[in-house]
Amino acid sequence: MGSVETQTSIDISSLDPLRSKSEIIDPAIREAESLRDGPSYWWRTSGQDLSRMLVEAGYPEECRRQFLDFYRDIICPLLGGRPEPSSRPTCAGWDGNPFEYSFEFKGSNKKAGVRFILDLTEFRPLRKDKPMDMTTVERVLDVLRQRSPMYDETWHRAMERWYVYANAPLEKQRDLVRRVGIQTQAILGFDINAKILEKAPGMLPVMAKSYFPPDYAAVDHHLTNFQSLSIGLRLLPDIGQYPNLLRGLKLLEDYVEDHPQYQSSGRGMSPDLVRAGMARVKIYMRYEGDSFDEIWDYYTLGGRIPDLDSDKEKLRDLTELTTGKDYPASKIRSETWVEKKRRHIFRSKPHALYFSLTPDKPYPVPKLYYYPAQKAPNDEAIAKGVDAWMAKYGWQDGGKTVEERVQNVFTHRRLDEKPGIITFVGLGRKENSSDLSLQVYVTPELYETPRY
């Protein structure tokens, strides 16, 4: 691959289609006074990343403007100071940075979508008086309540009552943090959707969701992580009105009963922030093995989920191609001691699956999150593997490759240097169709390489 381009961003006020996108600079980003100032730092780095991703995915100018204004004015001030060597890691990026972004592709629609998750736990500086405080999350929800169409937080609040300990006595908060080993109470997720502006001009073009780790409730109530997730769903108000959610959960419970090693694998629960009749609830589970047969059994819940046979070879190919199956051996170099330490981090990251429970289906809709950096020599090998998979299954439309998109977004290093930018590669069904969805997750490595 050629040399890395100079760091640039996106002009959302005067896009000229005849100009090279790599030459366009967002004036608001360029004019940030000082990278030592927290909001300016996050706007200049993560804001620039997301700005580039939206252009790479072909989002309309007005959608980019509306979203980036929200990101600059609301999100950046809540992220605290810039990362320092002493900054405590969040639960998002592998290096501790508070972000994970993704490009999403669908089999029936070659256009890419952009999503991201955000851990707003107060670590920069560290919040010691109330370590489980949720003020930063509440400030974002206050804005979404006013500006996000279809926003509803009923199920979010119900899960919050079970999973969140922000109002517990200080000593209990500290004890739970010590015993669980993390401090994050909730993570927010955003799906940037230009169609919202077609139906609701002037509103915020995002659909949001929240993610709750089950660990605190599990420790507090002497449960396994999976039991904590199962109870959390059953505590939702009027859950009996949505029997398919309970039927889907029962299939997952039965599978875990048959495979008790997964009792400790519960990773999180995520409700859409829309009204109950429309909301999905996703249950995230870890998989710490390395067997495709086990992954397939998990994905199908031992055959309990119907009509998945056509997914099997697609999943197998994705896991093989993204770990560098066809990557030239001549491009693989020996790792330094520092790189071997990084590799150890990646090898400790488990794969994951989610099971999406919806009011419309009596069984979960599954998705695999494969972590290719456990084995892949570098990010280039992973990206080329995704592109090979897309070409094999007719998902390429002749436009930019995943490799090109990712390198155009992240110019702080070359993709062939090492792994770390691309994290999970997700493949699974969509809830409302038989379509597959492919997501390529990326993280900006801002704790490892702050880009001051």
Side-chain angles (χ1 to χ4, degrees), residues 261-282:
Q261 69 270 28
Y262 297 140
Q263 281 284 350
S264 61
S265 298
R267 182 178 184 176
M269 181 173 285
S270 173
D272 293 331
L273 292 174
V274 296
R275 65 177 175 82
M278 299 173 58
R280 305 163 300 174
V281 176
K282 294 178 180 178

Side-chain angles (χ1 to χ4, degrees), residues 67-297:
F67 168 74
L68 290 170
D69 283 354
F70 160 76
Y71 189 82
R72 182 191 60 228
D73 298 341
I74 304 300
I75 300 296
C76 289
L78 297 175
L79 286 164
R82 66 180 192 172
E84 302 289 351
S86 60
S87 295
R88 182 167 294 186
T90 74
C91 288
W94 67 265
D95 65 336
N97 86 82
F99 305 100
E100 194 165 55
Y101 322 132
S102 69
F103 286 114
E104 182 185 30
F105 306 89
K106 300 174 185 175
S108 62
N109 181 358
K110 302 304 189 295
K111 292 184 67 175
V114 174
R115 300 180 175 193
F116 71 102
I117 64 165
L118 175 65
D119 186 342
L120 285 169
T121 308
E122 293 183 70
F123 286 147
R124 299 166 303 275
L126 179 64
R127 180 78 181 267
K128 295 182 179 179
D129 61 324
K130 291 186 68 178
M132 293 181 165
D133 189 70
M134 290 274 284
T135 299
T136 51
V137 171
E138 289 301 324
R139 288 178 180 170
V140 176
L141 297 184
D142 286 344
V143 175
L144 295 177
R145 194 176 299 116
Q146 300 298 319
R147 298 183 53 198
S148 180
M150 300 189 297
Y151 176 87
D152 187 284
E153 59 190 37
T154 303
W155 280 5
H156 168 90
R157 295 301 177 192
M159 292 186 191
E160 184 180 65
R161 288 190 289 272
W162 173 242
Y163 292 118
V164 172
Y165 286 78
N167 295 321
L170 178 58
E171 285 309 310
K172 182 168 186 175
Q173 291 189 36
R174 289 174 173 167
D175 181 60
L176 285 171
V177 169
R178 178 186 60 79
R179 294 166 68 190
V180 170
I182 60 174
Q183 193 166 321
T184 297
Q185 292 285 281
I187 287 175
L188 294 178
F190 302 88
D191 177 357
I192 306 171
N193 190 335
K195 291 183 179 179
I196 289 174
L197 296 182
E198 297 174 9
K199 298 180 179 180
M203 298 296 281
L204 192 59
V206 299
M207 299 295 291
K209 63 189 70 173
S210 51
Y211 300 77
F212 295 97
D215 308 64
Y216 306 106
V219 167
D220 191 31
H221 297 284
H222 307 288
L223 303 167
T224 68
N225 275 19
F226 181 71
Q227 289 170 336
S228 173
L229 293 173
S230 177
I231 292 171
L233 186 127
R234 293 177 183 279
L235 289 174
L236 293 177
D238 301 318
I239 188 62
Q241 295 182 20
Y242 309 100
N244 279 340
L245 272 76
L246 294 173
R247 293 186 181 110
L249 175 64
K250 183 63 166 56
L251 293 181
L252 181 54
E253 289 173 334
D254 289 346
Y255 182 76
V256 173
E257 184 177 356
D258 291 345
H259 300 79
Q261 69 270 28
Y262 297 140
Q263 281 284 350
S264 61
S265 298
R267 182 178 184 176
M269 181 173 285
S270 173
D272 293 331
L273 292 174
V274 296
R275 65 177 175 82
M278 299 173 58
R280 305 163 300 174
V281 176
K282 294 178 180 178
I283 295 179
Y284 290 80
M285 303 287 289
R286 295 180 178 88
Y287 170 69
E288 303 199 29
D290 189 31
S291 163
F292 180 77
D293 288 342
E294 289 180 353
I295 289 173
W296 178 248
D297 191 67

